[in-house]
Amino acid sequence: MYPKELQSVKASGCACGKCHVADIKSILCGAGVLRELPAILRDFQAKKPYILCDRNTFAAAGERVCALLEGAGIPYAIYTYKDERPAPNEENVGKAFMFLPADCDLIIGVGSGVINDIGKIVSNITGKPYVIVGTAPSMDGYASASSSMTREGLKISLASRAPDVIIGDTDILCNAPLKMMKSGLGDMLAKYVSICEWRIAHLITGEYYCEEIAALVRGALRRCVELSDKLLARDPEAVAAVFEGLVVTGIAMTYAGVSRPASGVEHYLSHVWDMRALEFGTPEDLHGIQCAVGTLISAKIYEKLKAITPDREKALSYVQSFDFAAWSAQLRAFLGKSAEAMIALEEKEQKYNKEAHRARLEVILQNWDAILQIIDEELPSSAAISALLDAIDAPKSMADIGLDENTLPMTFFAAKDIRDKYVLPRLAWDLGVLEELI
């Protein structure tokens, strides 16, 4: 069972030069599909699965999973995190392994973001098959082959593996907290920015890009937006559209071999907020909620970018006066210990190298009209995004999620240093307009 639009790409070669393959064996989405779990386990010849969940997800679906296995005569082991929202960190990954019995031969995650990420890590390291039973259409990591974790205070995308089977029972998903549904739609809205920046990066740096994968993501996003007015009513079609959209974008990342189809600067704003929360105890919200706020902020900044006229001498002068040591001190003050890994990354990336900048700048200047065209083609107006967030009663600003809006400039500046990925603040730095835009 694989969505038709994914089958067509999975089975064929591609104009981008890659043959796109995902290891996911089946995706089940619809009313009552959890009933298929015992048959799935028999297909894997699993004798004793290991269930991972937290207190909330056990109540949402874990009890049903246990009852199904007991009814089918399948023994199991289970570990339930005591926290309602376990952190994606070394300690909780360790707990999953500490309670894993030696005779368990398949992992079942019951949850969404963190549970799924930890389940994928356990599966990857042990080599055991992995089934995820989704409890909320809240984030796009269900199908990805990586896990979004915090390691030594730094948000990282850790290589793990995709699930073998994804189960999205709408009887369960429709009962998820509304905030988690808003989070899922927020994570989908981020794809406007991610596809836009993927195309821009391809143009400026020559980074790999696949139009077929981008089209998959656009189609999934379009369906989510078309049904968004039904989401708060827990309409099964709207909930399924968000869940399937999140799964499609996760598979798109696997097809591409990079996170580009699903995340851009809006995700990096969210990562900065997460790192500050870990270091300084500042507020944080659900990943998709933060991404929705980051998407609206990004759209507004892109609108400012469109209004500028690139100036070669201004850009060269700006970069010539850039002081990496001073900037590193600012990063340390703003992010604490997590800044160290970002600073160390520059030795490998050399994004601040003045000769490399000069070459990028020439490409930008020669292709400025094409860059503007990409922005126009991919990004809705900030007003349209704002209206959509209003329609689902979702936060729209840093203040709405408890953050100090005075920290937005440093958040935006720091976002260019998190990964080796060409995103909006890097383009702004290349143009010498970083401070102007924010």
Side-chain angles (χ1 to χ4, degrees):
M1 298 181 207
Y2 234 80
K4 289 181 181 178
E5 66 272 21
L6 291 171
Q7 283 181 344
S8 63
V9 177
K10 187 175 190 289
S12 65
C14 183
C16 75
K18 287 189 176 184
C19 184
H20 303 303
V21 177
D23 292 330
I24 300 169
K25 294 176 176 58
S26 60
I27 301 164
L28 292 75
C29 184
V33 295
L34 183 60
R35 292 192 297 266
E36 302 296 321
L37 181 59
I40 290 167
L41 298 184
R42 285 192 286 270
D43 287 343
F44 281 98
Q45 299 182 334
K47 301 293 191 296
K48 185 179 179 182
Y50 174 49
I51 302 169
L52 279 173
C53 55
D54 61 38
R55 286 168 51 195
N56 284 342
T57 63
F58 178 77
E63 287 181 286
R64 296 190 216 186
V65 168
C66 293
L68 276 170
L69 299 189
E70 290 164 8
I74 300 173
Y76 61 87
I78 184 169
Y79 177 67
T80 304
Y81 289 95
K82 294 180 175 60
D83 297 332
E84 292 185 352
R85 287 183 62 188
N89 58 20
E90 302 94 333
E91 179 182 356
N92 284 324
V93 171
K95 287 179 180 178
F97 279 99
M98 292 287 285
F99 288 92
L100 171 63
D103 59 343
C104 283
D105 51 8
L106 181 143
I107 314 299
I108 301 175
V110 180
S112 54
V114 175
I115 293 296
N116 184 49
D117 282 333
I118 293 174
K120 288 188 289 187
I121 293 171
V122 175
S123 171
N124 186 49
I125 292 175
T126 62
K128 302 179 191 299
Y130 179 52
V131 176
I132 179 65
V133 177
T135 54
S138 56
M139 52 83 229
D140 64 9
Y142 278 116
S144 73
S146 62
S147 296
S148 182
M149 305 299 291
T150 302
R151 185 174 65 188
E152 294 185 341
L154 179 66
K155 289 292 291 189
I156 64 166
S157 183
L158 188 68
S160 53
R161 57 159 295 184
D164 294 278
V165 178
I166 299 172
I167 300 175
D169 191 323
T170 51
D171 292 342
I172 295 168
L173 298 174
C174 287
N175 289 315
L178 287 177
K179 186 173 184 179
M180 298 192 82
M181 296 186 190
K182 297 175 188 179
S183 176
L185 183 57
D187 207 346
M188 285 302 299
L189 293 180
K191 298 357 170 193
Y192 284 126
V193 178
S194 65
I195 298 298
C196 177
E197 291 188 333
W198 197 14
R199 289 181 63 189
I200 291 173
H202 174 66
L203 182 63
I204 295 173
T205 70
E207 179 184 328
Y208 163 77
Y209 171 77
C210 177
E211 177 55 32
E212 265 198 73
I213 293 174
L216 279 179
V217 175
R218 289 190 201 101
L221 172 56
R222 190 179 308 115
R223 179 166 169 75
C224 290
V225 171
E226 288 171 352
L227 293 168
S228 61
D229 61 334
K230 299 180 179 180
L231 191 63
L232 296 190
R234 302 180 185 275
D235 177 81
E237 185 183 18
V239 172
V242 174
F243 183 80
E244 290 175 349
L246 294 166
V247 170
V248 165
T249 54
I251 292 175
M253 287 189 274
T254 300
Y255 283 169
V258 291
S259 62
R260 274 294 191 185
S263 72
V265 66
E266 77 300 321
H267 270 65
Y268 291 176
L269 300 179
S270 176
H271 290 344
V272 170
W273 297 330
D274 288 340
M275 286 188 283
R276 281 180 54 79
L278 188 65
E279 182 76 13
F280 304 117
T282 53
E284 62 180 331
D285 214 313
L286 295 177
H287 170 74
I289 296 292
Q290 293 186 169
C291 286
V293 172
T295 297
L296 181 55
I297 290 171
S298 301
K300 291 178 178 178
I301 299 173
Y302 268 109
E303 286 170 352
K304 289 186 177 182
L305 180 72
K306 288 165 58 178
I308 74 160
T309 300
D311 183 321
R312 177 183 286 102
E313 294 309 314
K314 176 180 177 180
L316 292 173
S317 175
Y318 178 89
V319 168
Q320 190 63 38
S321 64
F322 178 75
D323 185 335
F324 180 65
W327 167 238
S328 297
Q330 287 181 274
L331 266 183
R332 290 185 178 100
F334 188 62
L335 293 175
K337 62 178 178 291
S338 60
E340 297 304 328
M342 295 163 64
I343 293 166
L345 200 58
E346 173 58 17
E347 186 172 339
K348 172 188 173 184
E349 292 179 0
Q350 293 293 302
K351 61 181 174 292
Y352 297 127
N353 179 281
K354 292 178 173 57
E355 290 306 311
H357 164 258
R358 186 182 293 272
R360 284 196 308 271
L361 180 61
E362 290 308 312
V363 176
I364 294 167
L365 294 173
Q366 292 168 19
N367 292 278
W368 186 244
D369 288 343
I371 292 169
L372 295 180
Q373 183 177 347
I374 290 171
I375 297 169
D376 285 337
E377 289 175 352
E378 300 293 350
L379 289 185
S381 68
S382 61
I385 295 173
S386 179
L388 182 54
L389 294 177
D390 280 335
I392 62 168
D393 191 28
K396 299 196 302 181
S397 69
M398 291 177 64
D400 288 344
I401 55 176
L403 297 170
D404 181 359
E405 293 195 324
N406 291 321
T407 63
L408 176 56
M410 269 301 296
T411 300
F412 184 64
F413 303 158
K416 66 183 170 13
D417 291 78
I418 291 180
R419 301 272 195 282
D420 186 8
K421 188 186 285 187
Y422 199 83
V423 290
L424 175 57
R426 290 201 182 185
L427 175 57
W429 186 86
D430 279 348
L431 289 167
V433 296
L434 191 65
E435 288 78 10
E436 288 178 38
L437 292 185
I438 200 66

